[in-house]
């Protein structure tokens, strides 16, 4: 009951944010140099399509009416047509989402679990030589440009050692079903997931180290020790359980950052996801796709933030309206 | 440079990662600035053979156009640093200004701006920047502005919270009262004092800006007229198989610069808040000892607790602080002892030593603690018998503690009932769920917590109820000794009284032995038979409660009693103590209290006073204990000492 009310309340709060994002998009299109209709239709679009764009977005009418028309289009799920393929942008994006989810999701799960565990172990011996070394290493990890790390992995494991494929999600002549297909995808995933997870791992180690060491200094941990709980249980039931709260918050706040990492990784590994799509769109100046991708990414981050909020509320009984 | 900034800088450089990262960052800056005079070939000059691997002539090789890569990396540093400094400065400028306005004016201005900060946090900034650059055309200044426009809420939030704490400060209020305009107060007083954490965050911002620019360049949205590391990798990617060195060098440069910035920020942060590095942690393994030979079985009159010459030292950097400095006392079974003293006197450290829950930087250097005749600490070391520490065998079943519950002493994410259940089942693994629930209900009824509140979370209880829940938790396993550490602090007077009354009542009913640690003379007077007064790590006076109030034999006790407001007696002028630096007092050669004592003589400053026994369990560490004891407490304090001087 409490969670449901909280969820609905947070959902309501998302509307102004979504509106704000759409307005930013609208403002950028109108502020950008060049003809708005060209930006909406893409360069070199044929005159008839250009005319239909002018009509559907009401480009001859005053600005506020144009904003209304633009909002209407987006509400209907109409993000325009890709100027390159003439397909609806929304379909192109939807088609690419599963690949991105697979890549980013796997890396996120691996990095967060390993990162939280390593950080928690380090928090048990704060200030030790090992702790300093791991902190330094984790900072260095998230200072690596993820796309460069990807290139180096390709150079080592695909070009030099020839152990793993360097790009794509499936082999060209590989199996298309069954276990063989799954293994093929897994082989293709290893390098991009490693690159992405390595960079995120640094973030999670640091975050978890800070958060767990903070909870270990809390009075309720002293109470637990005075009661006589074994240290392992103090760590899991008291310290980690409470440390999850800030970790989840930051997880929600940094999703945008995570997605940008995924985009760059996909570019390096030619992974057929959203990131690769954005890259192709930039190269061919396909503005409708770039704008559509920005909107979808923003909405995804909002939705994910909403879910994190809900997770937080489920973890922390103190969260109320 | 201000003294704090200089101190922070010294502390930063003192750590290995701090010194290293600062050195790397400065070397990169110097190289970038010196680029024109290093005698390198023009970075755009396609004068050399294509795809040459690193050699003596071209240290980092040449690229697909025959350009010297070393030269391009060095010039690329200029671009990276321009982006870093430009974007961070602009971002901090916008952020601090808006954050300061939001925090300073509060009200709807704050509400509106805070909302905007929050929205920006949810926008995937990299994609927004990407969109801006894709729509407006790739150029370095635009990239810088775009980064600043999407990252400023970071600084704004920091500045806002800084301002909220700063604006109530005296100097800000004084400036306003003197008629200074708001903008002047913000610019002159608020921003300079709140800028420190924002500058620290600035190094992180710089790293983010560099990575963002590199990412954009790598996607082909870099400034075409400049040599940027990101665009070098972008080009190198296509020639990865033929000329891997094209992508390796700029990537290493990026990593070095960004890592040095992030590490530097981290080190500055640690230098400003040293406790971040060492707080918390698992309890460290301490040296243990075997049980002493010839321990006899406890008899009926064996004291429940005996403490002999206990010493506890804190290590703070190179400093050693003797928080408990030779404390001895005996608590008979069923007795109650109050330990009073001002904060920092070592009373809570003493409590934590009895329970062996000291923080890692604390160490027992000597002393024996006996529980029911059996040593649990011997020579400062915990006693281990059959592979198990004796204190662990006593925990909660025979010796429990009541912490101050206002301070999160109960786990905030677990219901009160669940916490009691966990403790019960930990020590009685065989207990059935029904039995456990019945026991919990019984204790709750005894403490006076309505059964309907059993499933409440700690935050759902009032302060008084939460404290009762803590007491219930401590009593769940029927311990013989309860150590209560400031159990009523932070509660209002009426509730304090109630809770103390309940503790005293429970003690009688359950035949508990009690140690009550408090800063409040009144609190211990109500619930304890014996009172020990602690000052600077020592018990300076111990006596039965009646006696210590009637005939206090230590001038410090007299000031404590004098500081006790009387509800019934005439309103007198309260005596207040000068603030004590306990560490300094403990290090003094003579009497610890001499520096603040109204009756101190040369003898007091020269020689530490002996423990003077005054009969009936009354002991005082004062050269003039007998004279003080002879005076009832309402007499002026200086009199006995003066009289003794006169007689001598």
């Amino acid at each position: 009951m409490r969670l449901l009310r909280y969820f609905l309340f947070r959902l309501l709060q998302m509307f102004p944010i979504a509106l704000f994002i759409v307005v930013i998009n609208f403002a950028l299109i109108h502020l950008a140099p060049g003809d708005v209709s060209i930006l909406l239709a893409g360069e070199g679009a044929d005159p008839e399509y250009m005319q239909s764009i002018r009509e559907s977005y009401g480009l001859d009418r005053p600005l506020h009416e144009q904003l209304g028309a633009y909002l209407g289009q987006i509400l209907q799920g109409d993000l325009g047509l890709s100027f390159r393929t003439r397909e609806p942008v929304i379909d192109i994006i939807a088609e690419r989402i599963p690949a991105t989810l697979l890549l980013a999701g796997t890396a996120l799960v691996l990095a967060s679990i390993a990162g939280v565990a390593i950080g928690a172990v380090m928090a048990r011996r704060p200030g030790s030589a090992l702790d300093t070394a791991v902190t330094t290493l984790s900072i260095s990890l998230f200072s690596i440009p993820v796309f460069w790390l990807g290139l180096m992995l390709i150079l080592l494991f695909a070009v030099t050692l020839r152990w793993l494929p360097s790009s794509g999600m499936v082999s060209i002549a590989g199996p298309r079903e069954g276990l063989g297909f799954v293994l093929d995808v897994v082989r293709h995933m290893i390098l991009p997931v490693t690159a992405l997870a390595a960079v995120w791992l640094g973030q999670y180690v640091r975050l978890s180290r800070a958060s767990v060491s903070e909870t270990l200094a809390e009075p309720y941990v002293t109470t637990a020790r005075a009661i006589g709980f074994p240290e392992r249980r103090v760590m899991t039931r008291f310290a980690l359980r409470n440390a999850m709260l800030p970790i989840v918050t930051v997880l929600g706040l940094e999703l945008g950052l995570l997605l940008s990492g995924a985009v760059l990784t996909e570019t390096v590994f030619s992974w057929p996801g959203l990131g690769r799509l954005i890259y192709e769109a930039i190269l061919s100046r396909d503005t409708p796709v770039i704008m559509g991708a920005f909107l979808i990414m923003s909405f995804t981050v909002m939705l994910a933030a909403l879910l994190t909020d809900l997770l937080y509320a489920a973890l922390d009984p103190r969260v109320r309206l | 440079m201000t003294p704090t900034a200089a101190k922070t800088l010294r502390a930063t450089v003192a750590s290995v990662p701090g010194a290293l990262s600062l050195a790397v960052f400065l070397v990169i800056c110097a190289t970038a600035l010196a680029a024109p005079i290093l005698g390198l070939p023009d970075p755009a000059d396609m004068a050399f053979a294509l795809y040459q691997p690193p050699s003596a002539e071209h240290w980092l090789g040449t690229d697909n156009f025959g350009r010297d890569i070393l030269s391009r990396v060095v010039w690329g540093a200029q671009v990276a640093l321009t982006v870093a400094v430009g974007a961070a400065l602009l971002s901090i400028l916008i952020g601090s200004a808006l954050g300061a306005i939001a925090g300073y004016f509060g009200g709807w201005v704050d509400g509106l701006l805070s909302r905007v900060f929050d929205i920006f946090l949810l926008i995937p900034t990299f994609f927004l920047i990407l969109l801006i650059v894709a729509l407006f055309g790739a150029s370095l200044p635009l990239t810088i502005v775009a980064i600043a426009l999407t990252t400023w809420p970071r600084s704004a939030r920091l500045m806002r919270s800084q301002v909220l704490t700063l604006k109530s400060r005296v100097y800000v209020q004084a400036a306003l009262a003197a008629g200074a305009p708001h903008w002047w107060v913000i610019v002159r007083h608020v921003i300079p004092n709140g800028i420190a954490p924002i500058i620290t965050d600035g190094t992180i911002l710089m790293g983010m800006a560099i990575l963002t620019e590199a990412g954009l360049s790598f996607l082909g949205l870099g400034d075409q007229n400049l040599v940027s590391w990101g665009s070098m990798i972008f080009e190198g990617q296509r020639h990865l198989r033929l000329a891997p060195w094209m992508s390796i060098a700029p990537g290493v440069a990026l990593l070095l610069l960004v890592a040095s910035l992030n590490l530097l920020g981290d080190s500055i942060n640690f230098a400003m808040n040293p406790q971040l590095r060492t707080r918390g942690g698992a309890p460290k393994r301490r040296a243990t000892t075997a049980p002493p030979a010839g321990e006899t079985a406890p008899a009926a009159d064996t004291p429940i607790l005996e403490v002999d010459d206990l010493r506890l030292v804190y290590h703070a950097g190179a400093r050693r602080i003797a928080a408990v400095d030779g404390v001895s006392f005996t608590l008979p079974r069923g007795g109650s002892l109050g330990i009073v003293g001002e904060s920092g006197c070592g009373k809570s450290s003493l409590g934590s030593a009895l329970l062996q829950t000291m923080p890692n930087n604390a160490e027992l250097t000597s002393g024996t603690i006996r529980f029911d005749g059996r040593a649990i600490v011997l020579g400062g070391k915990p006693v281990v018998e059959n592979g198990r520490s004796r204190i662990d065998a006593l925990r909660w079943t025979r010796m429990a503690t009541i912490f101050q519950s206002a301070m999160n002493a109960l786990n905030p994410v677990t219901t009160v009932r669940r916490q009691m259940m966990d403790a019960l089942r930990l020590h009685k693994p065989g207990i059935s769920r029904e039995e456990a629930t019945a026991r919990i209900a019984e204790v709750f009824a005894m403490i006076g917590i309505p059964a309907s509140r059993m499933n409440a979370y700690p935050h759902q209880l009032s302060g008084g109820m939460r404290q009762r829940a803590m007491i219930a938790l401590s009593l769940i396993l029927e311990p013989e000794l309860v150590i209560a550490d400031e159990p009523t602090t932070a509660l209002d007077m009426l509730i304090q009284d109630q809770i103390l009354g309940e503790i005293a009542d429970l003690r009688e009913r359950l035949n508990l032995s009690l140690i009550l640690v408090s800063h409040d003379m009144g609190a211990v007077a109500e619930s304890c038979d014996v009172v020990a007064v602690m000052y600077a790590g020592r018990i300076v006076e111990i006596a039965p409660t009646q006696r210590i109030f009637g005939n206090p034999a230590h001038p410090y006790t007299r000031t404590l009693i004098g500081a006790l407001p009387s509800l019934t007696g005439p309103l007198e002028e309260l005596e207040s103590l000068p603030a004590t630096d306990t560490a300094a007092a403990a290090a003094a050669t003579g009497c610890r209290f001499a520096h603040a004592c109204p009756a101190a003589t040369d003898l007091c400053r020269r020689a530490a006073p002996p423990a003077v026994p005054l009969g009936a369990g009354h002991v005082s560490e004062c050269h003039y204990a007998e004279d003080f004891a002879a005076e009832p407490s309402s007499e002026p304090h200086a009199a006995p000492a003066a009289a003794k001087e006169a007689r001598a």
Side-chain angles (χ1 to χ4, degrees), chain B residues 499-584:
Chain B
I499 301 251
L500 286 172
E502 281 159 23
I503 292 180
D505 184 44
L506 283 168
R507 191 171 80 74
E508 225 148 272
R509 270 207 291 165
L510 306 173
N511 192 27
L512 281 176
S513 310
L514 174 74
I515 292 180
L516 177 63
V517 176
S518 176
H519 66 279
D520 180 0
M521 219 32 189
V524 295
E526 224 169 295
S527 31
C528 296
D529 318 331
V530 178
V531 175
V533 176
M534 265 187 96
Y535 185 79
R538 283 190 72 84
I539 292 182
V540 292
E541 182 172 11
I542 183 165
T545 309
Q546 289 252 315
R547 222 182 131 90
I548 211 160
F549 277 91
N551 298 70
H554 196 285
Y556 178 62
T557 313
R558 290 191 167 237
T559 23
L560 273 189
I561 294 171
L564 185 70
S566 164
L567 291 177
T568 50
L571 202 60
E572 287 167 41
E573 204 179 317
L574 294 180
E575 264 184 84
S576 62
L577 280 165
T580 314
D581 180 354
T582 2

Side-chain angles (χ1 to χ4, degrees), chain B residues 192-542:
Chain B
N193 285 298
I195 203 86
I198 292 162
I199 289 175
T200 313
D201 193 59
T203 62
I204 313 280
L205 262 178
M206 284 164 78
M208 277 171 55
I210 294 170
L211 283 182
T212 305
E213 192 278 331
L216 287 176
S217 298
F218 180 73
L219 289 175
L221 289 173
D223 194 323
Q224 300 300 318
N225 307 314
L226 292 165
V227 190
S228 126
W229 291 338
S231 43
M232 286 176 75
I233 301 175
F234 175 62
E235 289 167 20
Q237 182 192 14
R238 297 176 198 168
H239 308 278
L240 189 64
R241 281 155 211 272
L242 194 58
W245 54 88
M246 279 179 66
S247 6
I248 295 178
V252 171
L254 263 175
L255 171 59
L256 279 178
L257 180 54
V258 176
S260 75
L261 281 167
N262 281 338
L263 267 178
L264 189 61
D266 200 58
S267 305
I268 297 176
N269 196 16
F270 275 139
M272 289 199 297
N273 314 291
Q275 85 284 358
L276 285 183
R277 188 155 266 169
T278 52
R279 80 176 157 194
K284 70 174 177 190
R285 237 173 264 279
R286 297 171 194 269
T288 56
T289 183
E295 271 185 344
T296 50
D301 62 344
T302 306
I304 189 86
L305 195 71
E306 289 166 275
V307 176
D308 188 32
D309 192 33
L310 194 68
R311 287 167 200 273
L312 182 145
V313 174
Y314 286 107
H315 300 274
R319 288 205 309 153
R320 283 164 59 90
I321 300 156
V324 178
D325 202 13
V327 162
S328 309
F329 65 84
T330 301
L331 179 68
R333 184 171 282 277
S336 58
L337 171 71
I339 299 177
V340 263
E342 64 199 270
S343 56
C345 74
K347 57 188 191 301
S348 285
S349 301
L350 175 60
S352 73
L354 297 179
L355 289 156
Q356 295 288 299
T357 53
M358 309 94 81
N360 280 337
N361 65 339
E363 186 197 353
L364 288 183
T365 53
S366 91
T368 304
I369 303 174
R370 278 194 194 80
F371 184 92
D372 201 15
R374 283 154 50 91
I376 54 174
V377 170
L378 198 64
K381 298 187 183 78
V383 174
V384 170
E385 191 176 29
N386 301 330
R388 191 176 183 205
S389 154
R390 275 187 175 175
I391 180 96
D392 283 346
L394 300 176
R395 283 193 194 287
W396 234 248
T397 49
R398 301 190 65 189
M399 183 160 140
T401 177
I402 303 171
F403 288 113
Q404 186 190 323
S405 73
M407 292 283 297
N408 259 352
L410 296 168
N411 191 351
V413 295
T414 315
T415 62
V416 174
R417 194 180 73 88
R418 181 69 196 272
Q419 297 189 43
M420 313 238 326
M421 183 72 94
D422 286 346
L424 200 53
R425 294 172 80 168
L426 173 73
H427 291 289
K428 290 187 176 169
I431 196 168
S432 72
R433 190 160 277 276
E434 292 72 40
E435 276 179 283
T437 309
R439 171 67 188 153
I440 295 169
E442 183 190 354
V443 176
F444 271 12
M446 187 164 75
I447 308 294
I449 305 177
S452 59
R453 306 301 285 148
M454 255 170 56
N455 282 315
Y457 288 96
H459 73 276
Q460 294 170 326
L461 298 172
S462 68
M465 272 304 158
R466 212 179 314 154
Q467 190 62 59
R468 284 191 181 91
M470 179 74 229
I471 295 173
L473 178 61
S474 76
L475 295 180
I476 187 82
L477 282 144
E478 302 174 78
E480 293 149 62
L481 171 64
V482 170
I483 298 170
D485 190 355
E486 301 272 8
T488 56
T489 312
L491 296 176
D492 68 55
M493 284 301 279
L494 216 65
I495 306 286
Q496 272 194 28
D497 240 33
Q498 272 180 24
I499 301 251
L500 286 172
E502 281 159 23
I503 292 180
D505 184 44
L506 283 168
R507 191 171 80 74
E508 225 148 272
R509 270 207 291 165
L510 306 173
N511 192 27
L512 281 176
S513 310
L514 174 74
I515 292 180
L516 177 63
V517 176
S518 176
H519 66 279
D520 180 0
M521 219 32 189
V524 295
E526 224 169 295
S527 31
C528 296
D529 318 331
V530 178
V531 175
V533 176
M534 265 187 96
Y535 185 79
R538 283 190 72 84
I539 292 182
V540 292
E541 182 172 11
I542 183 165

Side-chain angles (χ1 to χ4, degrees), chain B residues 39-62:
Chain B
L40 293 163
D42 188 315
D45 194 357
M46 309 181 195
F48 309 102
L50 315 183
Y51 300 120
Q52 276 188 50
S55 64
E57 202 183 333
H58 302 286
W59 290 359
L60 298 177
T62 63

